[in-house]
Amino acid sequence: MPAEEALKKLEEGNARYLSGVYSGDFSKDIRSSTAENGQHPSAVILTCSDSRVIPEMIFSAGIGDLFVIRAAGNVVDSCTADSIIYAVEHLGCRLVVVMGHTSCGAVREALHYSRDHPLDTINLIRGAIGDETDPLNASKLNVDNSVSVIRGIFGEREGLKIMGAMYDIVSGRVEFC
Ligand SMILES: [Zn+2]
């Protein structure tokens, strides 16, 4: 599916989620058809492991729709990068979205730590946010950094769109950026 079409699907799915109409397909039929025909997800979502952030719900998606990679603070390390590469190279995904969220505990930890942290994830976030002190701005900088790293992996590639997004855990709205 072309990137723009995949993005439109995510935007429409989030609008349905916000209106309380959930339409993801988790039926027996979709389990059978995806088992038989394989998966053809329309987008890759790299997001935080936070339990309040549930990509399939947020985008009204179902089985086979999204290739979701979760890691605290939606950082790109070798494992998350490999999963993204697999989805782009082997599953044909043309849209990669890095989705941060408000009130991210990993970003908060990075904001309050001024020296090397025992967790690599927090050090990656510290590098991404620099001297920023505002939690929301820091989350956005962290998303921007992951987007840049992923763009660096793929370079300029026809038809591949790599972008950021922020999820508001109170309103449920996703802002693409
Ligand atoms: Zn988080």
Side-chain angles (χ1 to χ4, degrees), residues 32-52:
S32 299
S33 68
T34 51
E36 202 171 309
N37 305 315
Q39 58 168 329
H40 305 283
S42 58
V44 180
I45 311 288
L46 169 62
T47 193
C48 188
S49 302
D50 193 298
S51 62
R52 297 164 295 183

Side-chain angles (χ1 to χ4, degrees), residues 48-50 52-53 71-74 101-107:
C48 188
S49 302
D50 193 298
R52 297 164 295 183
V53 181
N74 36 267
H101 67 98
T102 56
S103 305
C104 182
V107 170

Side-chain angles (χ1 to χ4, degrees), residues 11-25:
E11 288 171 337
E12 289 172 353
N14 185 236
R16 284 198 301 279
Y17 170 65
L18 290 171
S19 68
V21 182
Y22 183 77
S23 56
D25 189 351

Side-chain angles (χ1 to χ4, degrees), residues 73 75 104 106-114 121-146:
V75 295
C104 182
V107 170
R108 191 174 54 233
E109 176 73 3
L111 277 170
H112 293 118
Y113 223 84
S114 57
T121 293
I122 304 303
N123 289 323
L124 283 172
I125 299 171
R126 287 182 60 233
I129 66 180
D131 297 329
E132 182 58 58
T133 55
D134 176 73
L136 183 60
N137 288 341
S139 286
K140 288 176 179 171
L141 287 172
N142 186 46
V143 165
D144 290 346
N145 182 63
S146 290

